Structures are given as C-alpha cells and as structure tokens.
Amino acid sequence: MFDCLSVKITYNLCNLSVPCNSRVLMLFGQLEKLNRESMLVDPEIARQITAKVLHLIQTQEKTRKEIMSKGSSGMEVILATLEVINAKNRAHMIGVFVSKGGTGILLQLVISASKESPPSEEVMLQLHSVLAKVGPKDRKFGVKARLNGALNVTVNLLKQNLQNHKLLLPCLLVLQVCLPSAVNAVSLGKNGVVELMFKIIGPYSKKNTSLLKVSLDTLGALLKSKTNARRAVVHVPVLLYIYHDWHRNDTCHRHILIRKGILGCLKNITNIKLGRKAFIDADGMRILYNTSTECLPVRTLDPLINTSSLIMRKCFPKNRLPLPTIKSVFHHQLLRVPAGGPVAQLYNQPLGVDDVVDESDDNEDAEAENEVEEKDHHAGNDDIETDINKLRPKETHSRPFEELKIYERFFMELSEDFQVMQYIFLCLQFNNSILGGAFIFLVYTCTSVGSAPIRPQFLPWTWTPSTSPRTKMEEGGEGAVLQVPDTALLLPLHDPDLYVEMVKSTCSVPQFSEVAYPDYFGHVAPTFREHILERVYGVQRTKIFQDIERLIHPNDILDKVVYDLDIQSCPVIDGGESLKFNSQFESGNLRKAVQVRKFEYDLVLNSDINSNHYHQWFYFEVSGMRVGAPYRFNIINCEKSNSQFNYGMQVLMYSVQEAISGRPRWVRTGTDICYYKNHFSRSSIAAGGQKGKSYYTMTFSMTFNHKDDVCYFAYHYPYTYSTLKMHLQKLEALRTPQTYLREDVLCETLGGNSCPLLTITAMPESTSNDQICQFRNRPLVFLSSRVHPGETNASWVMKGTLEFLMGSSPLAQSLREAYIFKIVPMLNPDGVVNGNHRCSLSGEDLNRQWQNPSPELHPTIYHTKSLLQYLAAIQRAPLVFCDYHGHSRKKNVFMYGCSLKETVWETNISATSCELHEDLGYRTLPKILSQMAPAFSMASCSFVVERSKEATARVVVWREIGVQRSYTMESTLCGCDQGKYKGLQIGTRELEEMGAQFCVALLRLKRQTSPLKLRNHAHLLDVESDLMETRCKVSRSDTHTPSPGHSLTRTLTDKLTLIRSHTIPLTNNKPYMVH
Ligand SMILES: [Zn+2]
C-alpha cells in the first residue's frame, strides 16, 4: 500500500523561496539533493537533517510561518523527504518521527493548510498520505487529531471531494487511524460520516477497488459504535445487495477483502437488535446462507463463510426451549425451604419467566468462530483470595465437644480393645436411623440372605419389580429370552442379581422402576485403545448450516415429539419411523426428544431437581433404530461455554446386542462431534438475574450396527448409587482376617437414601498392648467422592481405591497397617440416583456448603464435616484429606491443594506484613503421584486458594480442620495429553488404576513423613520404588497399550506376591496368609 501511495514529486529549487533564514535554506537544499537521489538516500543522514529542520520549526515561530507561507515549497520538500525516507526504513524512521513530536506538527500543518482558500489539494494529499502512515505509530493520534481540529478538516475535505478519488483515499486512511477511539467514532457519526461512506461504496465495479476496500473498512470501524450502527440500520438491504452483487461478479475471487469488508459492516450492525431485525426483514438469512453454500467448495473463501455463519447465528431468532418451563420436571418438596438462595429464588419466580425476549443489545461477538478454550480458573484471574485473614487458620469457634461426642460411634477403632471381637468379622448393619439409631455389631455369616433373587423382566428390555420373570418370558416368546453375559471372572465386584436387589432399596424422586442394561450387565473395559479424536475441518460449520436450514426450509422440518416427560402419557410411536427414547432409570435424565428430520433428533436434558439449570450429564436409552442410517443427535440445552467435545472427547455408547454377544462394555463413539452456541436461550429472570443466557448444542452423529438393538448413550461411564451399594457388598466378601472393614451409615439423605461411611485398616497383629496401641494410633486418611453427580469418573477412581485397599497384595496390607482410612464414597447419593449433574435435592451445589452446612438441607456434608471436627477436637485430624472430582474442561488427572504462600505470591499481597511459615509438605503427595501415575500431571496442579472456592471441602478442611494436605483430585472426562496415555481418551481401567496408585502414593508418603516407623517394611518399599523406576523406564519407550490386567497394581501385586511367597515374611510375628 505504501508504494502505491508514494507520491513522486519533482522539485524546482527556484520555486523554493525561503528568504531570510539561511540555515533552513541550507538544510532544505541538502534534503532536495537527497530526494533527487532517492535510491541512494542514507536514512541516517536524512534523519539528521530533518531533525535539524524540525528543531528549527519547533523553536522558531518565524521559521514555521515562513515554511508554511503561500508560495513556499518548504513543506512539500519535508513531506517528500518523509515519503522517501519512510519507504526506505519505515518502521524505525516513523518511530523516531513520532517520538520527536512529528504528528503534532503535521496536524498543525493540516490546520494551517486548511486556512488557505482554497486549500492546496497537493499539500492536503501529501499531508494525509504521511499522516496515514505516521498515525498508526502514535497511540494518541486519534485524540490529538480531534482536539486540534484536524479531524474536522479531514471530514470536510471528504465531503467536498466525493468525486476526487485520489484525495479520498488518504483522507479515509487517516479517519481509520482515528477510529479506534469510541469518542471519535461517535463524533464522526454525528458529523454525517456514516452516510458519507454509503455514498462512496457501491455495487461491483473493477474501478477504484482500493478506495472501496478502504471505505468499507472505515465504515466497519465506524459501525462498532452502537450509535452509528443504529444510523446504518436502514442501509442493511443495500449492504446485502452489494454483497450479493460482489459475490456474483467476483468469480475469480480477486476481491475477497472487499466482500469481507461488506460482511464486516453487516456483522457490526447486527450487534444491535434493530440491526438483526433489519437483517431478517431484508431476507439476510437466505442471502448469506445461499452465498455461503456456494462458497463452500473454495477453501480460500472460508473467512467469508465463517463471518456469514457468525452473522446468521447471531440473527437467528432466539427461541425458548420447547418446554412448558425450564424448572426441573420432577419436584422434591423440601421440608424446609431455605429463606434465601437459589431454591427460594426459583420457587418465588412468577410463572412464565422462561419466555425469551431478545432484548439485549449485547455484542455477542466475543464468541469467535473457533472457540478458544476457556481460561482456567487459576490462570491469572481475579478470583484468587487476597484477604490474608481468610488464608489463615480459622479462629476456632468450633462446636462444643459435647455436641461432637455423638460422632465417637463412627470411630470405634480408636477405642476398640479386641478382647472379645478378635478374629470375628465385624459388620455394621445398614442402619436406617440417622445418628440417633443404635449401633449394632453383627457377626457376618454369608453374603446373600433371604429369598431367591428376583430376575429382571425382559419386556421391554427393562425390569419391573411386580412381574415374575417366568411369566414374562412365556409372553415374550423366544425373542424375549435374554442371555446374561458371564462376566463373573472379569468383573469380580459385579453381580446382576445383586444389582437388582440393590435397586429395590434405592429411593428416587421419579420412583424409577426400571433398570438400565449397562448397570445390570456391568462394564468390561475394552482392551483396544480409544484415541482422542482429531477434529475434522469444517464440522461445526456444517452442523450450524444444517441448523440454519431449519429456518430457510421450514417445510423440511418434522418437529415431532417422540419422548416427553412433561406429558403424562408419552406420545405413541408409530410404525418404526422414529427412534424410541427412554431414561426412566437410575441416573437417567432425558426430558424430551424431538424428531427434527428423518434421522435427526433434538434432545432436551432435565434440570437438576429443584433447579432450572445444570445440564451437562446425560444418560438415556435408544431403540428402534435402522441399521446403517446416519443418525444425528443434538443435545440442545447445554450450558457451559465450551466443552471437551470440541477437543476430541466422544460420547459413550453401550449396545445390548454387543453385550449379549460377550462384549458388555461402554465404548467411545460418535463422529462429527462438536459443541456450539445455539439459538435457544432463557430470560434473565430465569437465569437468576444474569443476562439472558444462550444455550449450547452438543451434537454427534452415529450409525447403528445391529438390528433390534437397545443402545445407551452417556456423558461418561455411568456409576449409579445402586452400583456403589453392590460394590460395597462385594468388597465385604474380599475381607480377610487381617482386614478391618466397617461400614456405617453416616446419615440418611433428603431423598431417603443412606450415605455409607467406610472404615478400613488392618486388624492388630495381636491383642498385646503394643499392637493395640499401634492400631489406634495409626494416622487417618479421609477420602470422599462424588459430591457432583455428573462426575462419574470420581466414582471409578474411588472404586479403584477401595478395591486396592481391600486387596490381598502385600502393599495393600502395608497400607492398611499404616493408616486408618475413613471413606465417604458418595457424598451425594440423591443427585446420582436422580440423574442430576451438580446438585443435591436441595437444588444446591453441595461442594459450596462446607462453611456452614445445614443438617436439614445438606446432611451428608454436615455430618462429614462433623466427623472431621470431631477428629480435630480429639487431636486426630487426618494426615490427608482428598475429595475426588471430575473435570470437564481439562485433560489428565491433577490435584488442587491449598497453600498460603503460593496464594500470596500469586496476588502480590505485601508478604512482608505477615510472616509466612509454611511447610511444603502439601506438595509431596501430588509430586509422588506425578512420578508414578501415568495419567497424573503435576503441571496441571494448583495450590492457590480462590475466593469462589472458599466453601469447598478442600478449602474448609484445610482452614477449619487444619489439614495441611487437603486436596481435590480432579480426573479428566476426556483424556490425557501427556505421559503414557497421551492422545488417548480415559477409560474406567485408567480411572481405577489412578485410584489404586493414589493408595500406593500414600504408602510412599508414609515413608517420607515417618521413615522410622516403617522400618519393618523397608524391603517392601525398596521393591516398590524399584518397580516404579522400571515402569517409568518402560513407559517412556513402550508405545503399546498395556494389555488388560497389566496395570501397575497388578504388576506390583504379582511381583510382590512372588517375592513374598518365596522369601520374606511380612511381619515378625505371623506368616502371611493367602486368600
Ligand atoms: Zn466436581
């Protein structure tokens, strides 16, 4: 551009009349000479000369007047010199020029020149050419130009020279430089510049394309101001016409920038509501849709398609979700509705607040076409706690010990003397009464008691408790015979019959009476690798265009409701034209399914109970599919602004046909997966006072392989409350005489489910005082999980932990001998049962209630915290507290901890004012994990305390209970981008392995915290570290997926068992017992 604007000027020395100042004259003479030899100009010499001229002009009023006086060509010489120099060494010279106050002088020159009548066109042209190049280097250019009046001169010049294209161009360029300033934009708009631009731009023409391009860019910049956009609304049809005209005529795509410029103007006008309306009225959707579709084959036109798509999405009329209300379809009446908070708010809302009015004039442009990953909470945000008092241990106004004393019953091991109970398996029966109930020990005799197990009913693929299986089988004929895959060997903790038993005692708000097949059959992790998907180019665009087609071709849309929980009798499905949906089982949460096209369905998820949002988790059943048909599913009421579905994560599918063929498993599936903002939204009132919020679509496509199949789709590997109960029962069966396992009922939930509390440790080696003393004094490790029901991965990690702890390996025995484990494996059973994503039945996020939990509304949190308070009161606060979670936006497994120092460092609080003494011990456990657990990433860990997290378990246990090693362990829902599993999606095997390795890490921690106490097991730890090193070496070079069962746990176990059985006795007193 610079070159084409260069002005070649010839000079006649005779015309140069600078009479009385010989110094200036001399300098100009030198410049003239340089200019004539422009190819040879030494910028440094020229710079020195101009600097001297500038100095004279700045310091001598007389000189300035002379140079600017009519008839003097001094100014032209300067400008020409600038041109020449700039062309040679632009960036540097302009920088020097600006720093010496050059722009101010040039602007002053504009004012002076404008006073001539008529102003010299040549001077104005040159001045503006130079200003257009100098301006961008001067950050205050726009303000300077406005304040000294030069901006007005330029505008007037434009108005008077609309046909003078040579002059228009540099003037427009100068305007552009001034436009980033909002004040300038508004002032120019008032001055009629928007209208002026519409006089310059026009339909397709090969002439003056550079002028058109600059005009469009200037107009686009002007329209960023909403006031200006309002002025331009009437021109929307013109812009659309011009765009279409260029699209039609620019067949060789030489003028993409002009076409983009027109779209840029439309994009800015449609930021306001009036603009969107004008766009729709002018048939903008159809015009941009058609032009974009025609552009699709040419890759270089992508910017046009992307901007068109952005405009169309913005203008797509906002709509409410196809629901009578966005409040949860199921209601749970709370005995006491809290006075404030989200639930109270929800139930005080007037009817019909969900109706969406597109009232916002918000610029929604922030969302780019290719969404950028949401900033992590810990990356330099303003959420970090800066109040040093909130980072210090809380002043203890803890509850009186008398009140906490009732929790003593959950810590029998601390007073147990084993005189009577020795070698008797202990079991606390599930106790339905809350804390007041009697505490009963039973001698455990057998695992299955009572009547013969009831088999599931197989019609229609579900189980109802009222009907006997035999009858059903007769009715259903041969087709109804169901083979149950024999998974007993592969899944030692799974038992279909036991699962059904467990379901019977599970209380759900919708009173589910069916069992989903995946939960009944169980899941055997596949042995093949499941890679993180590479995103196919243009997928999101294609999906969005298909959505826009709904508006363009409304007649193609079926809009047939095929599943609807809001209507008592779900619509009857006709002869095989539609899929059948169902989610009336534990953890299911599909609310509505609408058939949009023959093979496309919009799905609406249910809100968390007693809430009107939190949609992310899903779990539903599909049947009646056609083999090989390309189905597309859209979950249309997602809420998060981004998702790992945009970064390679797939949905999970479970096929019953596959299961009965011997492959009972969830597999990652789906193609063309993406996640984007859609045209559904809710009102600001429904959104709890925030701006009206848009929903997002998660879409995936898939073809089914089996006829008459029943398939299940889920956000992540389901893990129901009934599954937990089944696993706990099966774990009891693993108990050996050396294992101390007790299962208490911590409390009952709002929904009437029991919250189990486990105590696991090793039995004392003898009843000698020493041994009993050692037993009672073992440090405690407190673990919890699944406070967020949608984070099912947390349960799989917990399963791995529990299985390892109850295992027969020498490491497990050492671990049990080293610690007393207190575990609450499911902090939110009600949420899990009812298919919630985030909340409990109180409609609240339980992990934001730890500061002041209510015994009525948050019983599991209240009593879990009480256990910890009791421990603190008896000086037995746990060594480690860890709450397992799942993370929806990040990869790998990692931990959040709490550190006063690291928080202070992040926030620049004056650290000198407070003495910071802090043990770095909180880093040890994550460090160990990063060395041994392949999915774990130290780089993703953070130890900063955020304000928004002050009521979470991690922060409250750290601050109030005084547990230095208080963590949240977050597992990805997607996969890993480092370590051995790099590039793979996470599966249950990796999650369970993580849980097991957490245990092994605790053993290492034990060694590092108290090496002397473990002297007896030193040999074991050597073997352990030896193995870990070997494994690390292997993992670096080994590119193969580990075969099933060859996780670290198994390897360690095998090797250690081998060593143990041949040589070393575990303890000094007793031989190791094998079970
Ligand atoms: Zn969570």
Side-chain angles (χ1 to χ4, degrees), residues 102-267:
T103 39
I105 292 168
L106 288 173
L107 291 169
Q108 193 56 47
L109 291 176
V110 172
I111 297 289
S112 305
S114 72
K115 288 179 181 154
E116 307 287 332
S117 96
S120 156
E121 189 187 317
E122 193 66 21
V123 170
M124 283 300 192
L125 184 71
Q126 286 168 37
L127 271 173
H128 281 86
S129 302
V130 176
L131 280 173
K133 282 156 222 156
V134 173
K137 289 279 170 185
D138 186 345
R139 272 185 300 150
K140 294 191 174 154
F141 183 80
V143 181
K144 286 180 188 168
R146 181 176 75 246
L147 292 182
N148 93 332
L151 192 55
N152 272 336
V153 172
T154 307
V155 172
N156 288 334
L157 212 57
L158 275 175
K159 285 179 178 169
Q160 288 152 17
N161 293 281
L162 274 180
Q163 303 309 319
N164 184 348
H165 295 156
K166 196 173 153 196
L167 183 58
L168 280 182
L169 196 61
C171 290
L172 286 175
L173 287 169
V174 171
L175 283 194
Q176 265 187 27
V177 183
C178 299
L179 272 173
S181 146
V183 182
N184 281 353
V186 173
S187 132
L188 287 171
K190 265 190 202 157
N191 218 334
V193 179
V194 174
E195 295 300 326
L196 210 60
M197 290 302 117
F198 278 104
K199 286 181 185 156
I200 301 172
I201 62 174
Y204 177 76
S205 157
K206 283 181 182 168
K207 287 180 194 165
N208 297 316
T209 49
S210 42
L211 178 68
L212 181 58
K213 155 89 182 54
V214 174
S215 312
L216 284 166
D217 289 349
T218 312
L219 180 59
L222 277 165
L223 296 178
K224 279 183 184 162
S225 137
K226 283 177 187 166
T227 329
N228 291 343
R230 246 165 248 135
R231 287 195 173 91
V233 164
V234 289
H235 297 293
V236 166
V238 175
L239 284 170
L240 282 166
Y241 169 77
I242 296 176
Y243 181 71
H244 189 242
D245 194 44
W246 278 89
H247 168 79
R248 209 175 41 205
N249 289 299
D250 182 27
T251 44
C252 299
H253 311 306
R254 291 217 179 98
H255 302 293
I256 295 177
L257 288 177
I258 288 179
R259 292 155 72 180
K260 192 160 195 292
I262 306 170
L263 288 177
C265 295
L266 282 168
K267 191 180 88 175

Side-chain angles (χ1 to χ4, degrees), residues 786-791 794 837-838 845 847-848 883-887 968-970:
R786 206 72 191 280
V787 70
H788 294 140
E791 298 164 6
H837 175 66
R838 189 90 182 161
D845 180 344
N847 204 31
R848 294 293 182 279
D883 192 20
Y884 295 177
H885 283 253
H887 204 288
T968 294
M969 187 160 81
E970 303 271 359

